[in-house]
PDB file of all heavy atoms in Angstrom:
ATOM      1  N   THR B  41       2.790  -1.932   1.170  1.00 98.00           N
ATOM      2  CA  THR B  41       2.510  -2.099  -0.255  1.00 98.00           C
ATOM      3  C   THR B  41       3.242  -0.966  -1.064  1.00 98.00           C
ATOM      4  O   THR B  41       3.898  -1.176  -2.094  1.00 98.00           O
ATOM      5  CB  THR B  41       1.040  -2.139  -0.646  1.00 98.00           C
ATOM      6  OG1 THR B  41       0.407  -3.252   0.153  1.00 98.00           O
ATOM      7  CG2 THR B  41       0.845  -2.269  -2.127  1.00 98.00           C
ATOM      8  N   GLY B  47       8.396  -5.935  -8.015  1.00 95.00           N
ATOM      9  CA  GLY B  47       7.221  -6.044  -8.873  1.00 95.00           C
ATOM     10  C   GLY B  47       6.317  -7.300  -8.478  1.00 95.00           C
ATOM     11  O   GLY B  47       6.308  -7.617  -7.272  1.00 95.00           O
ATOM     12  N   GLU B 358      -0.052 -10.115   3.771  1.00 98.00           N
ATOM     13  CA  GLU B 358       1.182 -10.633   4.629  1.00 98.00           C
ATOM     14  C   GLU B 358       0.713 -11.082   5.907  1.00 98.00           C
ATOM     15  O   GLU B 358       1.449 -12.040   6.497  1.00 98.00           O
ATOM     16  CB  GLU B 358       2.137  -9.520   4.681  1.00 98.00           C
ATOM     17  CG  GLU B 358       3.582  -9.857   5.205  1.00 98.00           C
ATOM     18  CD  GLU B 358       4.577  -9.043   4.988  1.00 98.00           C
ATOM     19  OE1 GLU B 358       4.702  -8.109   4.189  1.00 98.00           O
ATOM     20  OE2 GLU B 358       5.492  -9.074   5.863  1.00 98.00           O
ATOM     21  N   SER B 374       4.475 -12.076  -3.112  1.00 98.00           N
ATOM     22  CA  SER B 374       3.444 -11.532  -2.028  1.00 98.00           C
ATOM     23  C   SER B 374       2.487 -10.640  -2.510  1.00 98.00           C
ATOM     24  O   SER B 374       1.197 -10.832  -2.156  1.00 98.00           O
ATOM     25  CB  SER B 374       4.292 -11.028  -0.783  1.00 98.00           C
ATOM     26  OG  SER B 374       5.258 -10.101  -1.375  1.00 98.00           O
ATOM     27  N   LEU B 375       2.785  -9.617  -3.404  1.00 98.00           N
ATOM     28  CA  LEU B 375       1.799  -8.974  -3.923  1.00 98.00           C
ATOM     29  C   LEU B 375       0.828  -9.820  -4.626  1.00 98.00           C
ATOM     30  O   LEU B 375      -0.447  -9.509  -4.578  1.00 98.00           O
ATOM     31  CB  LEU B 375       2.367  -7.798  -4.928  1.00 98.00           C
ATOM     32  CG  LEU B 375       3.253  -6.759  -4.283  1.00 98.00           C
ATOM     33  CD1 LEU B 375       3.954  -5.846  -5.423  1.00 98.00           C
ATOM     34  CD2 LEU B 375       2.540  -5.802  -3.319  1.00 98.00           C
TER      35      LEU B 375
HETATM   36  C1  FAD K 601      10.544  -2.159   0.908  1.00 92.98           C
HETATM   37  C2  FAD K 601       9.744  -3.417   0.432  1.00 92.98           C
HETATM   38  C3  FAD K 601       9.696  -4.021  -0.852  1.00 92.98           C
HETATM   39  C4  FAD K 601       8.895  -4.965  -1.252  1.00 92.98           C
HETATM   40  N1  FAD K 601       9.055  -5.346  -2.504  1.00 92.98           N
HETATM   41  C5  FAD K 601       8.129  -6.325  -2.894  1.00 92.98           C
HETATM   42  C6  FAD K 601       8.056  -6.701  -4.332  1.00 92.98           C
HETATM   43  O1  FAD K 601       8.672  -6.047  -5.193  1.00 92.98           O
HETATM   44  N2  FAD K 601       7.195  -7.721  -4.731  1.00 92.98           N
HETATM   45  C7  FAD K 601       6.370  -8.290  -3.708  1.00 92.98           C
HETATM   46  O2  FAD K 601       5.564  -9.217  -4.115  1.00 92.98           O
HETATM   47  N3  FAD K 601       6.505  -8.016  -2.382  1.00 92.98           N
HETATM   48  C8  FAD K 601       7.276  -7.007  -2.003  1.00 92.98           C
HETATM   49  N4  FAD K 601       7.292  -6.650  -0.729  1.00 92.98           N
HETATM   50  C9  FAD K 601       6.336  -7.263   0.207  1.00 92.98           C
HETATM   51  C10 FAD K 601       4.938  -6.606  -0.048  1.00 92.98           C
HETATM   52  O3  FAD K 601       5.194  -5.272  -0.300  1.00 92.98           O
HETATM   53  C11 FAD K 601       4.026  -6.913   1.166  1.00 92.98           C
HETATM   54  O4  FAD K 601       4.057  -8.135   1.630  1.00 92.98           O
HETATM   55  C12 FAD K 601       2.650  -6.503   0.742  1.00 92.98           C
HETATM   56  O5  FAD K 601       2.655  -5.322   0.157  1.00 92.98           O
HETATM   57  C13 FAD K 601       1.777  -6.532   2.005  1.00 92.98           C
HETATM   58  O6  FAD K 601       0.397  -5.988   1.602  1.00 92.98           O
HETATM   59  P1  FAD K 601      -0.666  -6.096   2.689  1.00 92.98           P
HETATM   60  O7  FAD K 601      -1.860  -5.400   2.115  1.00 92.98           O
HETATM   61  O8  FAD K 601      -0.894  -7.484   3.285  1.00 92.98           O
HETATM   62  O9  FAD K 601      -0.085  -5.249   3.851  1.00 92.98           O
HETATM   63  P2  FAD K 601       0.355  -3.584   3.958  1.00 92.98           P
HETATM   64  O10 FAD K 601       0.601  -3.056   2.604  1.00 92.98           O
HETATM   65  O11 FAD K 601       1.509  -3.588   4.879  1.00 92.98           O
HETATM   66  O12 FAD K 601      -0.894  -2.873   4.632  1.00 92.98           O
HETATM   67  C14 FAD K 601      -1.320  -3.174   5.999  1.00 92.98           C
HETATM   68  C15 FAD K 601      -2.353  -2.158   6.258  1.00 92.98           C
HETATM   69  O13 FAD K 601      -2.944  -2.635   7.533  1.00 92.98           O
HETATM   70  C16 FAD K 601      -3.106  -1.467   8.396  1.00 92.98           C
HETATM   71  N5  FAD K 601      -3.165  -1.837   9.811  1.00 92.98           N
HETATM   72  C17 FAD K 601      -2.266  -2.762  10.498  1.00 92.98           C
HETATM   73  N6  FAD K 601      -2.695  -2.881  11.713  1.00 92.98           N
HETATM   74  C18 FAD K 601      -3.814  -2.298  11.793  1.00 92.98           C
HETATM   75  C19 FAD K 601      -4.700  -2.088  12.900  1.00 92.98           C
HETATM   76  N7  FAD K 601      -4.471  -2.631  14.049  1.00 92.98           N
HETATM   77  N8  FAD K 601      -5.935  -1.327  12.719  1.00 92.98           N
HETATM   78  C20 FAD K 601      -6.112  -0.720  11.635  1.00 92.98           C
HETATM   79  N9  FAD K 601      -5.287  -0.911  10.540  1.00 92.98           N
HETATM   80  C21 FAD K 601      -4.104  -1.642  10.693  1.00 92.98           C
HETATM   81  C22 FAD K 601      -1.946  -0.581   7.981  1.00 92.98           C
HETATM   82  O14 FAD K 601      -2.054   0.759   8.417  1.00 92.98           O
HETATM   83  C23 FAD K 601      -1.872  -0.883   6.460  1.00 92.98           C
HETATM   84  O15 FAD K 601      -2.774   0.036   5.789  1.00 92.98           O
HETATM   85  C24 FAD K 601       8.089  -5.521  -0.286  1.00 92.98           C
HETATM   86  C25 FAD K 601       8.091  -5.074   1.000  1.00 92.98           C
HETATM   87  C26 FAD K 601       8.868  -4.016   1.440  1.00 92.98           C
HETATM   88  C27 FAD K 601       8.682  -3.439   2.787  1.00 92.98           C
END
Side-chain angles (χ1 to χ4, degrees):
T41 298
E358 192 167 335
S374 44
L375 293 173

